[in-house]
Amino acid sequence: MCFILFDAGRSQWDNWQKEKQQEQAYIQHLEKEQQRLLTLNVQLNKELTDKDQDDLALLERIKTLEKHLELKSTESQQTLNDKVKVIENTYLWRQHLLNKVPNGSPMPHKRISSYYGRRIHPVTKLPSTHHGIDLVADIGTPIYATADGVVSTTQKKKTGYGYLLMVNHGFGFETRYAHMNKFKVKKGRFVKKGDLIGWSGNTGRSTGPHLHYEIRFLGKSLDPKRFMAWNLTNFSHLFKREPNVDWSALVRILSTPTPTPTPTQGLEGQSFVTHAP
């Protein structure tokens, strides 16, 4: 009888010990889980803080870009993605126009020796109209196209413009590069803004190494200095300073989406392309 009672007590003791160990193991598990959650909470708080800081930095960047692009500050209820999209579309459209219309300097230069307008001609010493701008540079300085276009003229003369290259940019715009030393491209070559087209020289009627640079619209010369200063950060300035171009009409045409060409069958079954209405 005593042995039976002893065995029963021993069994209960073992069960109690086992339950105790299980409870301790569970407590240790809860403590580890609590520590993991605390660590995760710290990480999440840090990520949220970093995100808030990133959002603030992005907002500041957006304000800076809006200022540079001369945009009115967007509505506060717009999401960051909406704000970025507006800036992106504005930038792409303006960059598209800057690729089509001459802007920036055609080459690195030391100084400007003669500006656009009336002057005393350095060779004839008589009053005359200077139709371009003279950029002083060493012979062999690279010259770059100031907008997309096609090379319409390359001529070599010992007088006048000397080695002259002309680029037709479309929409009535044309650039002329005179007194060059050598051409990189030939007549009929399509060029993109920034393409190398030749090197500066001292050919023709010239008093020293320089590039005579002209911009013309419908054959009429314009002041190149205004276009050379034109860029993304002062985009609308040229529209006010150069009255000889109908900028509103040009902007309207270039901002209108191009219709998608659709194939159409001709009378005899041959395919040709038309524009969708």
Side-chain angles (χ1 to χ4, degrees):
M1 184 68 179
C2 292
F3 289 107
I4 293 174
L5 292 173
F6 178 79
D7 288 341
R10 179 62 180 269
S11 177
Q12 290 178 356
W13 173 261
D14 290 342
N15 288 336
W16 181 81
Q17 285 286 93
K18 188 174 182 180
E19 290 176 359
K20 192 69 174 177
Q21 291 174 355
Q22 289 176 346
E23 288 177 358
Q24 290 177 348
Y26 183 65
I27 291 172
Q28 290 176 354
H29 170 72
L30 290 178
E31 289 175 345
K32 289 181 179 180
E33 186 66 14
Q34 182 185 32
Q35 186 61 42
R36 187 185 71 83
L37 291 174
L38 287 173
T39 302
L40 180 61
N41 185 54
V42 171
Q43 292 176 346
L44 289 175
N45 284 333
K46 184 178 184 302
E47 290 178 4
L48 288 173
T49 301
D50 292 343
K51 185 178 183 302
D52 289 341
Q53 292 177 347
D54 290 342
D55 287 347
L56 288 174
L58 180 57
L59 282 172
E60 288 302 316
R61 179 60 176 160
I62 286 174
K63 290 179 181 178
T64 300
L65 289 173
E66 288 175 337
K67 182 179 179 181
H68 285 171
L69 292 174
E70 301 174 305
L71 294 174
K72 293 182 179 179
S73 183
T74 50
E75 297 296 330
S76 58
Q77 62 264 30
Q78 282 187 308
T79 65
L80 288 178
N81 286 338
D82 290 338
K83 291 174 181 285
V84 170
K85 194 65 177 178
V86 169
I87 291 174
E88 180 183 32
N89 289 339
T90 302
Y91 171 82
L92 291 175
W93 179 83
R94 291 186 177 185
Q95 191 60 61
H96 174 67
L97 185 59
L98 288 171
N99 286 336
K100 301 300 180 185
V101 179
N103 62 92
S105 177
M107 73 171 188
H109 53 279
K110 299 177 180 179
R111 60 186 177 88
I112 297 174
S113 61
S114 185
Y115 290 88
Y116 175 87
R118 296 294 294 177
R119 67 169 185 175
I120 300 298
H121 196 282
V123 176
T124 65
K125 307 301 180 183
L126 297 174
S128 64
T129 298
H130 191 221
H131 291 284
I133 195 168
D134 290 344
L135 308 176
V136 177
D138 294 332
I139 294 176
T141 301
I143 301 172
Y144 304 96
T146 51
D148 299 347
V150 59
V151 179
S152 57
T153 298
T154 54
Q155 66 180 27
K156 298 180 179 180
K157 290 186 176 181
K158 294 182 179 180
T159 59
Y161 280 132
Y163 282 27
L164 171 68
L165 186 147
M166 297 164 58
V167 178
N168 186 327
H169 302 284
F171 303 104
F173 289 96
E174 175 188 80
T175 50
R176 298 183 179 186
Y177 310 81
H179 309 300
M180 293 175 63
N181 183 60
K182 187 178 179 181
F183 303 134
K184 171 66 175 177
V185 293
K186 296 180 180 180
K187 181 179 179 179
R189 168 76 177 273
F190 288 95
V191 295
K192 295 186 71 63
K193 177 177 173 59
D195 281 354
L196 177 66
I197 58 176
W199 296 267
S200 66
N202 189 31
T203 57
R205 189 164 66 174
S206 171
T207 58
H210 75 285
L211 172 70
H212 172 83
Y213 175 59
E214 291 185 17
I215 296 178
R216 291 181 177 256
F217 178 69
L218 300 179
K220 176 180 174 60
S221 64
L222 306 176
D223 187 352
K225 188 180 178 183
R226 297 173 180 172
F227 290 80
M228 289 172 65
W230 187 35
N231 55 53
L232 283 171
T233 62
N234 60 2
F235 189 77
S236 61
H237 290 191
L238 181 65
F239 304 157
K240 302 171 184 176
R241 298 183 62 191
E242 182 48 75
N244 294 298
V245 179
D246 186 354
W247 294 109
S248 59
L250 179 60
V251 167
R252 185 169 60 251
I253 290 173
L254 289 179
S255 61
T256 303
T258 303
T260 304
T262 57
T264 306
Q265 290 296 120
L267 295 177
E268 298 180 359
Q270 66 269 31
S271 294
F272 57 94
V273 172
T274 61
H275 288 293

